[in-house]
Amino acid sequence: MRLISGRMRKVLKLEHVDAFYDRSQALDDVSIEVREGEFVTILGANGAGKTTIMKCIMGLLPPRNGRILFGGEDLTGRPAWVRTEMGMGYVPEGRRVFPDLTVEENLRMGGYNLKDHRALRRNLEWAYELFPRLKERRKQLARTMSGGEQQMLAIARALMIEPRLLLIDEISTGLMPILVNHSFNVIKDLHQRGITILLVEQNANKALKVADRGYVLEIGRITLQGTSRELRDNEEVVKAYLGS
Amino acid sequence: MILQQLINGIVIGSVYALIAMGATLVYGILKVLDIANAGAYAIGAYAGLFLYQATGSLPVAFLGAVLFTGLFGVLVQRVLYVPLLDKPPLVPLICSIGLFIFIQDLIRLLAGPHIRAFEAQLPFRGIELPYLSVNAIWIAIMATTAVLLVFLWYMLNRTKLGLAWKSTAQDLEIAKAMGVNVDRVVAFNFLLGYGFAAAAGIMIGMLYNSVFPTMGDMPAYKMLAIIVLGGLGNPLGTVVAGLLIGVVETLVAGYVGFFLPRDAIAFVVLIVILLVRPQGLLGQRT
Ligand SMILES: Nc1ncnc2c1ncn2[C@@H]1O[C@H](COP(=O)(O)OP(=O)(O)OP(=O)(O)O)[C@@H](O)[C@H]1O
Ligand SMILES: [Mg+2]
């Protein structure tokens, strides 16, 4: 439904965003957009500013200049905690599950802003259906789970609000190769179910296989953009990110 | 005799737990050692005394003083701590010590340096048995403390607000991103923390029949021992540590007739336990 009616609608738009940590600039004139139903990726090396973009979008680091629009609404000056209510699901870098809460409590926190009890139940069931492993471990403290399980929990937590846009900050870091593949398959599957995704990644190779479009971020600037195919065929991208 | 001492210890210990709970709650969320919480203890005692003298009703005085002090905590948090949070931890700590001294001197200016009596009439009598006597104030203290701690336990473990509190304590940034209005959680935290300190101040003021500007001094030191012992920021640990110190203190003072002053015993307990368990009684190793 979403796919057909809103194919061209912009979900997210960053306009000329500058961000700073104290006096050091981390983002310089970043403009990107994500349309309904798309899977967009932002590629960049360590320290390029990928996480900073995510923090700006989530309201954890307010941009110094520029605007961020979500569903046409200007987010400038709005606190981080309105994001989930508006439909942004966030999978932070390094998973960041609440270590001393159980799996189920973590998921409930994901759905913290759901007003409707039935929606909470339903989405909990949905999360368990997607990740049966989490259901087996629902009473277990998140800190005692393996890295891969925590990654699944972080994704499931973000799905609890049935997000309009899923923001993922590096799906692959710190996981063994087999789990990296699994994680990419999971988000590819979520995209096929109609969820709009913005993924920031270092693993360009994998990201460009699942995304529709991509941007390349270098030291805080967007230097290239295009469809995944264009980027995969681009010499500079191949040289810098895809290896030989 | 041993039963009597045990009851004494538990009464004192549960008040210690209450005193330290405010600082524990604040530390849990902000990772700031809130020495000024012991100032809230004195504010609460004075507010309770004045309200009692004005209204003659103990429940009104108690609730009024707790609420007043809690709101003072919300103000402190807004004006002092929140703006200092991204500074190094030493800055809010020093600020908190300064605030504590400020509170004591303000009380001295407003209410005078002398000790005031807090003679409360309770509507019931104590228990007098041949080998056991528990006076009415003790019963009131035990009951009030139990109600407050059970209320806190329920709030933390059985409500959505409690889940939000724990998430905020574990990862403030991510709690925010999950939709928790952390400003409100932090404000509520101070309302509760300062309110608890006030409750303890009133009860101790009644117990010793005295209220004075520096009455927060000893609780300030002991509170530190208790929250460290309880595993920094762990509410359950704080209750356990408070009770432990109350009981040990009473038993040692009662039986051994220690060569140390009674108030030093808390620190002996602290040092001994930290040698064995550096993370505190219920703290987690990191
Ligand atoms: N809290 C901070 N304070 C100061 N500087 C920071 C902070 N966080 C990030 N930076 C700096 O901002 C720049 C961008 O960092 P960012 O974390 O966004 O990079 P990234 O692309 O996510 O890197 P990685 O792939 O390592 O996660 C870096 O130069 C980094 O050193
Ligand atoms: Mg990053």
Side-chain angles (χ1 to χ4, degrees):
Chain A
M1 229 164 49
R2 273 181 192 155
L3 284 182
I4 302 161
S5 69
R7 183 82 228 185
M8 297 313 288
R9 275 230 312 273
K10 284 174 196 128
V11 184
L12 180 75
K13 195 164 195 292
L14 273 68
E15 296 177 350
H16 310 291
V17 167
D18 295 338
F20 287 75
Y21 293 101
D22 281 324
R23 239 160 285 161
S24 80
Q25 185 161 11
L27 295 180
D28 181 6
D29 195 25
V30 168
S31 297
I32 58 166
E33 60 179 57
V34 180
R35 287 183 287 257
E36 198 106 50
E38 270 192 314
F39 189 148
V40 175
T41 184
I42 301 174
L43 306 173
N46 282 120
K50 303 182 296 297
T51 299
T52 308
I53 290 186
M54 287 305 204
K55 288 194 170 173
C56 286
I57 297 171
M58 283 308 291
L60 299 171
L61 176 76
R64 183 162 305 175
N65 302 304
R67 296 202 300 168
I68 299 176
L69 301 158
F70 184 70
E73 206 176 321
D74 190 347
L75 292 177
T76 308
R78 309 208 54 194
W81 51 80
V82 303
R83 264 47 174 194
T84 47
E85 224 163 334
M86 301 176 84
M88 290 191 192
Y90 180 42
V91 182
E93 178 172 42
R95 310 185 268 275
R96 303 272 288 271
V97 293
F98 297 111
D100 293 317
L101 297 186
T102 63
V103 168
E104 187 149 318
E105 285 171 331
N106 265 281
L107 294 175
R108 284 181 187 279
M109 279 312 297
Y112 186 79
N113 270 340
L114 289 176
K115 300 278 181 300
D116 179 6
H117 273 272
R118 270 165 311 174
L120 188 72
R121 289 258 94 199
R122 196 178 60 233
N123 294 346
L124 205 54
E125 285 314 312
W126 179 46
Y128 285 147
E129 208 179 287
L130 285 172
F131 306 107
R133 190 111 182 121
L134 296 181
K135 185 165 191 174
E136 287 165 34
R137 318 208 145 207
R138 50 205 261 242
K139 297 282 171 227
Q140 194 172 322
L141 290 185
R143 66 157 68 243
T144 64
M145 309 238 294
S146 75
E149 289 166 346
Q150 288 187 16
Q151 185 65 269
M152 295 307 122
L153 178 56
I155 296 172
R157 182 176 67 178
L159 292 175
M160 285 297 293
I161 51 162
E162 304 173 68
R164 253 186 95 186
L165 171 66
L166 186 59
L167 299 158
I168 306 175
D169 192 343
E170 306 223 28
I171 193 82
S172 59
T173 33
L175 295 182
M176 12 187 272
I178 183 168
L179 286 177
V180 171
N181 284 334
H182 176 66
S183 303
F184 273 101
N185 286 336
V186 165
I187 51 176
K188 197 165 120 192
D189 178 56
L190 290 171
H191 179 231
Q192 275 159 3
R193 288 163 185 258
I195 295 178
T196 310
I197 296 179
L198 176 62
L199 167 73
V200 304
E201 252 304 327
Q202 271 189 67
N203 191 333
N205 207 351
K206 290 253 156 42
L208 289 176
K209 276 192 190 132
V210 289
D212 303 322
R213 269 190 325 117
Y215 296 87
V216 174
L217 182 69
E218 284 173 289
I219 356 176
R221 276 200 200 103
I222 300 286
T223 52
L224 269 176
Q225 55 177 300
T227 62
S228 294
R229 167 157 319 177
E230 285 164 358
L231 291 177
R232 262 199 311 246
D233 293 343
N234 185 298
E235 261 173 54
E236 287 169 57
V237 177
V238 172
K239 242 190 344 215
Y241 300 99
L242 299 179
S244 45
Chain B
M1 185 59 184
I2 175 89
L3 185 62
Q4 179 80 56
Q5 296 284 14
L6 222 57
I7 291 177
N8 297 2
I10 288 171
V11 172
I12 292 292
S14 59
V15 179
Y16 285 170
L18 213 53
I19 294 172
M21 193 57 77
T24 295
L25 291 174
V26 173
Y27 188 88
I29 297 250
L30 299 185
K31 314 295 176 229
V32 169
L33 268 180
D34 181 34
I35 309 290
N37 207 265
Y41 170 88
I43 293 178
Y46 273 93
L49 176 60
F50 289 143
L51 276 173
Y52 183 52
Q53 285 168 346
T55 65
S57 156
L58 209 49
V60 169
F62 184 83
L63 293 176
V66 166
L67 189 67
F68 171 78
T69 314
L71 291 175
F72 171 74
V74 174
L75 186 73
V76 164
Q77 167 265 141
R78 271 286 132 79
V79 182
L80 286 181
Y81 288 136
V82 169
L84 294 181
L85 274 188
D86 36 357
K87 303 278 180 287
L90 211 53
V91 177
L93 175 64
I94 291 170
C95 162
S96 148
I97 295 171
L99 177 64
F100 180 44
I101 297 170
F102 171 77
I103 289 172
Q104 291 191 332
D105 282 325
L106 188 68
I107 292 177
R108 210 191 319 270
L109 276 175
L110 294 179
H114 54 282
I115 297 181
R116 287 163 184 267
F118 194 154
E119 251 167 296
Q121 294 303 319
L122 288 172
F124 53 89
R125 290 167 155 273
I127 300 168
E128 287 296 339
L129 297 173
Y131 295 102
L132 182 73
S133 85
V134 185
N135 68 33
I137 287 185
W138 287 29
I139 295 174
I141 289 178
M142 263 193 286
T144 311
T145 309
V147 167
L148 288 176
L149 291 178
V150 167
F151 163 77
L152 179 69
W153 177 87
Y154 183 85
M155 206 281 303
L156 284 180
N157 295 300
R158 290 286 180 272
T159 68
K160 200 172 162 184
L161 181 63
L163 196 58
W165 188 91
K166 287 192 217 171
S167 310
T168 308
Q170 287 169 38
D171 194 331
L172 188 130
E173 197 178 46
I174 298 303
K176 232 194 249 184
M178 293 299 138
V180 177
N181 182 337
V182 297
D183 285 357
R184 230 184 276 161
V185 171
V186 171
F188 182 72
N189 195 45
F190 272 80
L191 182 73
L192 223 56
Y194 277 51
F196 273 33
I202 299 168
M203 293 192 291
I204 293 289
M206 279 165 47
L207 182 65
Y208 295 126
N209 193 13
S210 69
V211 169
F212 50 100
T214 55
M215 66 185 285
D217 280 347
M218 195 34 81
Y221 307 134
K222 243 174 236 179
M223 168 182 102
L224 282 180
I226 290 166
I227 65 179
V228 172
L229 200 55
L232 278 176
N234 181 332
L236 185 63
T238 296
V239 174
V240 175
L243 288 175
L244 183 82
I245 289 196
V247 169
V248 170
E249 219 181 65
T250 313
L251 291 184
V252 171
Y255 284 105
V256 188
F258 222 56
F259 53 89
L260 278 173
R262 175 185 173 116
D263 285 330
I265 295 169
F267 295 93
V268 176
V269 175
L270 176 72
I271 291 164
V272 170
I273 290 182
L274 289 189
L275 282 175
V276 186
R277 276 184 73 83
Q279 71 273 41
L281 287 171
L282 297 188
Q284 248 130 7
R285 245 175 246 270
T286 39

